[in-house]
Amino acid sequence: MELKRDSHIYDEIKSLLENARKKVLSTVNSTMTMTYFLIGKNIVEEEQNGESRAEYGKELIKNLAVQLTEEFGKGFTIRNLELIRKFYMTYSQDEKTKSVISFSENPFKLSWTHYIRLVRIQNIEERRFYEIEAEKENWTVREMERQISSCLYERLVLSRDKEEVKSLAMKGQIVEKPKDIIKDPYILEFLGLHEMSNYSENILETAIISHIEKFIMELGKGFLFQGRQVRFTFDEEHFFVDLVFYNRILKCFVIIDLKIGKLKHQDIGQMQMYVNYYDRFIKLPDENKTIGIIICKDKNDTLVEITLPENNEQIFASRYMTILPSKEELAKIVEEEREKNEN
């Protein structure tokens, strides 16, 4: 009997094979990473032998590069062996790898290319955060690089106290309350709008829709896209919400209003009305309160604080940037925001 290509059994078998391939690839990557860790361990122990011998270390790596390349081919240049050594030196300090001596104890879940990028991060807490998130969210190296370049860790640290910052390094980003999904600023360099000297809110919105997958990734965990220019009506007057999402972790609607200029108190009042409408007429009884995010080019934090209730947990205002600034520039922005919050 000839099976149709779109039959359910074909789809099930195809899924099994694709998952098997991914698992094999993941196992190979993990095994190679562990191999490099143990190679690095051997190099460092041979170098030191009880004391630091820098010149001997250089000669050792040089000789190993020649011998290993002759035996195993490409992949063991002096540069690569130095990276392997650095990888071991970096990760041998972590609690989970201090006592690792065999493949049966492999703690490395990412590819070697992921770790080449991670070892460049000097801050231990920051490095652990990206490692955890890359594994949990199945980030490609390119996706992880983008998150590092946009200072995701620093932006999340900004709105957290010391205990929550410590938790980021131990568990990654945990979404439990509305504030956990908020970033300030949002980095939207993927829209390509920095090349335009002038653009409207409609152009900004259209660009986001054209790059909706990247925008959802920037928003963070658990977001599902619901619609654009979603209309609701009362007293024969129509209102339109720019973007509507649903967060499956927080179990609530997240509505977004886009402003290309400086935030005004009228914008906050409008968002308050949108949130109230969704809470009273759209959300189900078992769903949590709606979250409103105004993403604007600029804002006055004092204006936002005065306009919103003291115990506000529903409406947030964040800036956006259409270029990817340097890590130093973003770190400066984060530090300025932290100082504002402390004063």
Side-chain angles (χ1 to χ4, degrees), residues 150-177:
S150 66
C151 290
L152 174 61
Y153 176 76
E154 286 91 340
R155 287 187 286 152
L156 291 175
V157 163
L158 178 62
S159 61
R160 286 162 169 77
D161 59 29
K162 290 182 179 179
E163 287 303 313
E164 289 174 323
V165 170
K166 189 184 298 182
S167 179
L168 279 177
M170 301 300 293
K171 302 176 183 178
Q173 185 185 5
I174 305 298
V175 176
E176 296 177 329
K177 55 186 181 300

Side-chain angles (χ1 to χ4, degrees), residues 6-22:
D6 59 351
S7 68
H8 73 280
I9 189 170
Y10 171 81
D11 292 336
E12 289 175 359
I13 292 173
K14 178 184 176 183
S15 178
L16 286 170
L17 290 172
E18 288 177 343
N19 288 335
R21 286 175 180 173
K22 289 178 182 177

